[in-house]
């Protein structure tokens, strides 16, 4: 009997005690473990049947099935194969009666272990594989143990399949970070590799096993340490030491088969034959028990297969009915959802149109109020000045000197220009509204950007205060060209530069051209040492009719909104550099 499977079933039982709040269950479980290890048949069976009856009465079917499974493993451990068959049959019947399809795998695995104890490798393999199919992903620990059982079963008959099962168990243990099962799975792989003489693969896996063992983690399972060391000694040529260790220590696998493998590595044919003879006699003593149980095994197998067929038929019927119900529900939902979506879409479209109309109306109202307020103030002031100075010129009896006449004329001209500028800004805003989409490529041309900047600077040089230096810097060659809309770029720079001149009393105004290679764009930067913009005004400065707090300079607050619309129309961007604190720095970014 493979004690690894017994240990697995003990883990199942320990979950019962760990999760059960009933003190009586804990006491019964502790007594059950003592009797299992002691091997007193009468006391064990009497206690386990009382335990099963209590769990059944509490309707704890999961624990009930697992205790019944452990009863079957106790039967196998004590070589009561006929009784183990009866236990498997009873377990299957209970699961069938209660329609507990999710626990069929327990009876199937129990049958696999009965056949393995009978040395019927073919049938044991069949039942273990069926148990893996039935458990699916509900019980990962059971899956890993069964994969190791299959590996041990097939280590001589089909080494490649055995190695694959241990690899699958390793992978599942790693996914679950389960060092206990990972160490057991690697050890089983080492056993398979040893039995088949795969030294290179054994060495690689042995190093991995040693790394895990040397970590000193308490969850590492040392059950197969002796077996692994015996294999290591054999591969190192220490055959007698390996045999001595095999006689003294438990290995939890077929020790006779391990001895045969050691003699085979040593080339000791005579002792290898004796070991095989002993194993044959040991197996022969079991065949009598197997022969007695054959008919009962066949009956149990038919019962198990019948339950599986019934379960399969029920599953197919339920699946067909479920598919019909799902199909009808899906059709109804599709019709309902399509109708509802159509209605909701209509409502959304109407709401969206109403929202747009409302926003336009509110914006129009706000714009109208702002326009009237700004225009009435900004135009009234220069008109009053023009009217006043005109009255002075026309008043009879006033004798003015030529200098006084020239001063009045300059003041009238200045205010007329101011009104003209305001009107031009309003017209330009109206024009830029129509240019909010990208301008056509047909209007683009190749422009030497340094020349365009110098031309603008030259035209504005005489407009600045004498205490203000105007300058131009660049990091591109004079013959460097970009393809863009030159007139639009000039209009944007003109607005920004005039703003800088308006608010800079001393210091400098610098126009700078930079090529941003990572972004593939040209940046035109206007930097001044003027009064700057307060932090609280920076977010709204690009809004229409917006001016900085406390800004009493002429203008109606349309210059920057016009610049942003014009930049957008040619695929560019304009922004205020908030990191610059010695005045204002505006950055116009253009695509090359």
């Amino acid at each position: 009997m493979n004690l690894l499977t017994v240990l697995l079933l003990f883990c199942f039982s320990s979950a019962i005690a760990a999760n059960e709040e009933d003190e009586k269950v804990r006491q019964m479980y502790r007594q059950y473990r003592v009797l299992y290890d002691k091997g007193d048949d009468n006391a064990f069976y009497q206690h386990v049947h009382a335990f099963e009856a209590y769990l059944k009465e509490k309707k704890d079917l999961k624990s009930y099935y697992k205790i019944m499974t452990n009863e079957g493993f106790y039967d196998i451990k004590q070589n009561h194969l006929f009784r183990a068959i009866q236990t498997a049959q009873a377990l299957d019947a209970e699961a069938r009666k209660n329609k507990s399809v999710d626990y069929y795998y327990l009876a199937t695995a129990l049958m696999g272990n009965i056949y393995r104890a009978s040395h019927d490798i073919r049938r044991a393999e069949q039942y273990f594989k069926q148990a893996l199919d039935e458990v699916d992903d509900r019980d990962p620990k059971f899956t890993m143990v069964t994969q190791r059982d299959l590996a041990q079963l097939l280590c001589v008959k089909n080494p490649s399949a055995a190695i694959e099962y241990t690899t699958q168990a390793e992978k599942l243990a790693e996914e679950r970070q389960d060092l206990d099962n990972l160490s057991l799975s690697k050890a089983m792989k080492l056993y398979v590799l040893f039995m088949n003489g795969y030294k290179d693969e054994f060495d690689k896996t042995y190093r991995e096993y040693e790394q895990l063992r040397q970590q000193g983690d308490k969850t590492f399972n040392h059950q197969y340490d002796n077996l692994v060391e015996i294999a290591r000694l054999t591969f190192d040529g220490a055959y007698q030491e390996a045999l001595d260790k095999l006689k003294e220590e438990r290995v939890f696998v077929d020790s006779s088969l391990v001895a045969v493998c050691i003699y085979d590595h040593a080339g000791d044919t005579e002792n290898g034959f004796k070991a095989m003879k002993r194993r044959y006699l040991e197996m022969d003593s079991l065949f009598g028990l197997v022969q007695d149980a054959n008919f009962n095994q066949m009956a149990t197998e038919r019962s198990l297969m019948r339950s599986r067929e019934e379960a399969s038929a029920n599953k197919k019927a339920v699946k067909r009915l479920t598919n019909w119900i799902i199909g009808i529900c899906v059709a109804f939902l599709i019709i309902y959802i399509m109708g509802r979506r159509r209605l909701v879409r209509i409502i959304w479209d109407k709401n969206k149109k109403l929202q747009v109309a409302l926003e336009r109306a509110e914006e129009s109202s706000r714009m109208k109020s702002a326009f009237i307020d700004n225009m009435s103030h900004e135009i009234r002031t220069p008109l009053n000045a023009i009217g006043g100075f005109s009255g002075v010129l026309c008043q009879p009896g006033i004798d003015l000197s030529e200098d006084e006449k020239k001063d009045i004329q300059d003041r009238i001209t200045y205010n007329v220009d101011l009104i003209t500028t305001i009107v031009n800004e309003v017209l330009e805003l109206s024009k830029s509204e129509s240019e909010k989409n990208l301008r056509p490529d047909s209007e683009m041309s190749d422009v030497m950007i340094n020349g365009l900047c110098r031309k603008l600077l030259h035209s504005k040089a005489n407009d600045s205060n004498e205490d203000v230096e105007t300058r131009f810097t660049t990091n591109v060659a004079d013959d460097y060209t970009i393809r863009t809309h030159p007139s639009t770029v000039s209009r944007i720079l003109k607005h920004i530069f005039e703003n800088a001149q308006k608010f800079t009393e001393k210091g400098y105004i610098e126009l700078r051209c930079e090529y941003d290679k990572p972004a593939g764009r040209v940046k035109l930067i206007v930097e001044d040492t003027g009064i700057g913009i307060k932090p609280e005004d920076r977010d709204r400065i690009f809004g229409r009719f917006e001016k900085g707090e406390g800004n009493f300079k002429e203008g109606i607050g349309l210059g920057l909104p016009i610049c942003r619309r014009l930049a957008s129309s040619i695929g560019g961007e304009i922004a205020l550099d908030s990191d610059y604190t010695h005045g204002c720095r505006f950055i116009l970014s253009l695509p090359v």
Side-chain angles (χ1 to χ4, degrees):
M1 173 59 201
N2 184 359
L3 294 181
L4 182 58
T5 307
V6 176
L7 290 174
L8 170 71
L9 271 285
F10 279 162
C11 292
F12 287 160
S13 300
S14 65
I16 299 170
N19 297 326
E20 179 60 64
E21 295 181 358
D22 192 330
E23 179 62 29
K24 183 176 179 180
V25 170
R26 287 198 292 269
Q27 291 175 357
M28 294 183 78
Y29 171 71
R30 285 194 290 268
Q31 181 65 16
Y32 160 82
R33 288 292 303 271
V34 171
L35 293 173
Y36 191 103
D37 295 333
K38 188 176 180 182
D40 185 339
D41 288 355
N42 292 332
F44 175 80
Y45 288 125
Q46 183 179 355
H47 180 75
V48 79
H49 291 159
F51 196 4
E52 289 168 358
Y54 183 73
L55 292 172
K56 190 174 182 181
E57 181 184 348
K58 286 177 62 66
K59 301 188 184 307
D60 186 357
L61 294 180
K62 179 179 179 181
S63 301
Y64 171 63
Y65 294 143
K66 290 181 178 180
I67 288 295
M68 281 191 73
T69 306
N70 270 5
E71 181 186 353
F73 278 101
Y74 179 85
D75 297 333
I76 298 172
K77 176 185 175 185
Q78 302 300 327
N79 289 325
H80 305 324
L81 296 186
F82 176 68
R83 185 158 192 157
I85 292 168
Q86 290 179 317
T87 303
Q89 198 169 22
L91 174 59
D92 183 71
E94 285 288 329
R96 229 177 339 135
K97 183 177 72 174
N98 296 318
K99 298 181 180 178
S100 303
V101 180
D102 288 348
Y103 295 101
Y104 276 5
Y105 71 92
L106 294 174
T108 305
L110 184 54
M111 284 301 298
N113 279 281
I114 292 170
Y115 275 114
R116 180 171 58 179
S118 305
H119 296 279
D120 189 341
I121 295 177
R122 182 180 64 81
R123 290 180 183 272
E125 179 185 1
Q126 175 187 346
Y127 274 101
F128 281 140
K129 287 181 178 179
Q130 184 176 336
L132 285 178
D133 290 338
E134 289 172 352
V135 73
D136 198 17
D137 57 356
R138 289 189 297 274
D139 195 338
K141 286 189 176 181
F142 173 88
T143 299
M144 288 183 281
V145 172
T146 305
Q147 287 169 339
R148 292 197 294 272
D149 286 343
L150 278 165
Q152 185 177 346
L153 193 71
L154 300 174
C155 70
V156 176
K157 176 186 174 183
N158 191 344
S160 60
I163 292 171
E164 177 60 26
Y165 280 121
T166 59
T167 301
Q168 291 175 9
E170 282 181 289
K171 183 178 179 182
L172 185 54
E174 287 172 350
E175 290 174 356
R176 294 174 54 81
Q177 297 182 342
D178 184 347
L179 182 58
D180 178 33
N181 277 286
L182 179 59
S183 55
L184 290 171
S185 300
K186 284 191 179 293
M188 183 53 64
K189 178 181 278 189
L190 287 169
Y191 171 65
V192 175
L193 295 171
F194 163 65
M195 293 299 295
N196 292 276
Y198 298 154
K199 187 177 186 306
D200 292 341
E201 294 181 51
F202 179 92
D203 291 340
K204 178 178 177 295
T205 307
Y206 181 81
R207 287 193 296 272
E208 295 171 358
Y209 184 81
E210 277 298 291
Q211 287 177 358
L212 292 175
R213 182 162 58 177
Q214 290 171 7
Q215 289 175 5
D217 195 308
K218 292 181 180 180
T219 59
F220 185 94
N221 196 312
H222 296 274
Q223 178 178 339
Y224 290 113
D225 280 0
N226 292 329
L227 177 62
V228 170
E229 290 308 312
I230 289 169
R232 177 74 271 164
L233 290 169
T234 303
F235 275 127
D236 289 344
Y239 306 119
Q240 189 57 49
E241 190 177 345
L243 288 168
D244 292 341
K245 192 173 185 64
L246 179 63
K247 292 176 184 177
E248 296 170 2
E249 308 288 352
R250 296 183 64 187
V251 292
F252 297 99
V253 294
D254 190 333
S255 57
S256 298
L257 197 59
V258 174
V260 171
C261 188
I262 295 172
Y263 285 124
D264 179 54
H265 279 280
D268 190 344
T269 308
E270 182 180 353
N271 283 316
F273 176 76
K274 291 178 181 179
M276 289 181 64
K277 183 178 179 180
R278 284 195 301 271
R279 186 169 187 273
Y280 174 79
L281 293 174
E282 290 171 0
M283 292 177 61
D284 188 55
S285 65
L286 294 173
F287 286 150
L289 294 172
V290 174
Q291 189 67 29
D292 292 338
N294 273 341
F295 290 107
N296 292 293
Q297 284 179 305
M298 291 171 62
T300 302
E301 185 176 353
R302 284 198 300 271
S303 175
L304 287 170
M305 294 308 295
R306 184 168 63 252
S307 66
R308 302 304 181 265
E309 290 168 1
E310 291 174 2
S312 179
N314 289 335
K315 281 185 178 179
K316 288 179 181 178
V318 170
K319 187 176 180 180
R320 283 197 298 270
L321 180 60
T322 303
N323 288 340
W324 273 104
I325 293 173
I326 291 173
I328 293 170
C329 291
V330 168
F332 173 77
L333 286 173
I334 289 173
I335 294 171
Y336 172 76
I337 291 171
M338 288 179 65
R340 184 178 177 82
R341 285 183 64 187
R342 183 174 176 275
L343 180 61
V344 169
R345 194 180 298 115
I346 293 172
I347 295 172
W348 280 356
D349 289 343
K350 295 290 184 183
N351 286 341
K352 195 177 292 182
K353 290 178 181 177
L354 288 173
Q355 183 68 26
V356 171
L358 178 62
E359 289 174 357
R360 286 179 178 174
E362 290 176 348
E363 177 68 10
S364 177
S365 177
R366 192 187 72 80
M367 289 289 295
K368 179 181 177 182
S369 299
F371 179 76
I372 292 173
D373 291 344
N374 279 277
M375 292 296 286
S376 62
H377 172 74
E378 296 295 337
I379 292 180
R380 186 185 296 117
T381 301
L383 283 176
N384 287 340
I386 292 170
F389 286 120
S390 298
V392 170
L393 288 174
C394 297
Q395 188 173 352
I398 294 180
D399 187 17
L400 298 173
S401 67
E402 291 299 321
D403 290 338
E404 289 173 331
K405 289 180 182 180
K406 186 176 183 307
D407 180 59
I408 291 173
Q409 181 184 2
D410 289 342
R411 290 175 182 270
I412 292 173
T413 301
Y414 171 79
N415 283 283
V416 169
D417 290 342
L418 188 59
I419 294 173
T420 304
T421 300
I422 292 171
V423 173
N424 285 339
E425 283 189 352
V426 173
L427 293 175
E428 193 161 10
L429 175 66
S430 175
K431 183 179 179 182
S432 70
E433 286 281 354
S434 65
E435 296 176 348
K436 58 177 72 173
N437 295 323
L438 289 176
R439 302 187 63 182
D441 292 345
S442 59
E443 298 181 9
M444 298 175 70
S445 62
D446 291 334
V447 179
M448 287 191 290
I449 194 65
N450 284 347
L452 185 147
C453 292
R454 288 194 179 97
K455 183 178 180 182
L456 170 73
L457 202 68
H458 179 73
S459 67
K460 294 295 178 183
N462 296 328
D463 297 342
S464 295
N465 191 310
E466 292 181 356
D467 296 329
V468 178
E469 176 191 1
T470 58
R471 62 196 187 200
F472 170 67
T473 60
T474 180
N475 70 353
V476 299
D478 283 345
D479 60 351
Y480 181 77
T481 62
I482 66 171
R483 190 163 183 79
T484 187
H485 301 76
S487 61
T488 305
V489 175
S490 296
R491 286 163 65 188
I492 297 170
L493 290 178
K494 177 175 175 291
H495 274 294
I496 301 174
F497 204 88
E498 287 176 351
N499 252 16
Q501 290 178 317
K502 187 188 299 183
F503 296 108
T504 305
E505 299 292 338
K506 60 181 179 178
Y508 69 86
I509 301 172
E510 180 179 82
L511 174 58
R512 186 161 67 251
C513 178
E514 296 180 356
Y515 175 55
D516 186 353
K517 187 174 182 180
R521 298 174 79 86
V522 166
K523 292 182 178 180
L524 301 177
I525 303 167
V526 178
E527 180 180 298
D528 63 55
T529 55
I531 62 175
I533 298 173
K534 294 179 180 179
E536 60 268 22
D537 294 334
R538 289 172 182 170
D539 291 337
R540 63 182 183 86
I541 202 67
F542 285 97
R544 286 174 288 189
F545 304 112
E546 295 286 357
K547 299 170 69 176
E549 193 68 30
N551 180 3
F552 301 107
K553 293 285 185 177
E554 297 92 345
I556 56 175
L558 290 178
L560 290 177
I562 291 171
C563 290
R564 173 161 283 185
R565 287 187 176 275
L566 290 174
S568 177
S569 72
I570 61 173
E573 296 176 354
I574 187 169
L576 173 66
D577 186 352
S578 58
D579 294 333
Y580 181 71
T581 57
H582 301 295
C584 283
R585 179 190 287 155
F586 287 93
I587 302 172
L588 172 62
S589 175
L590 298 172
V592 175

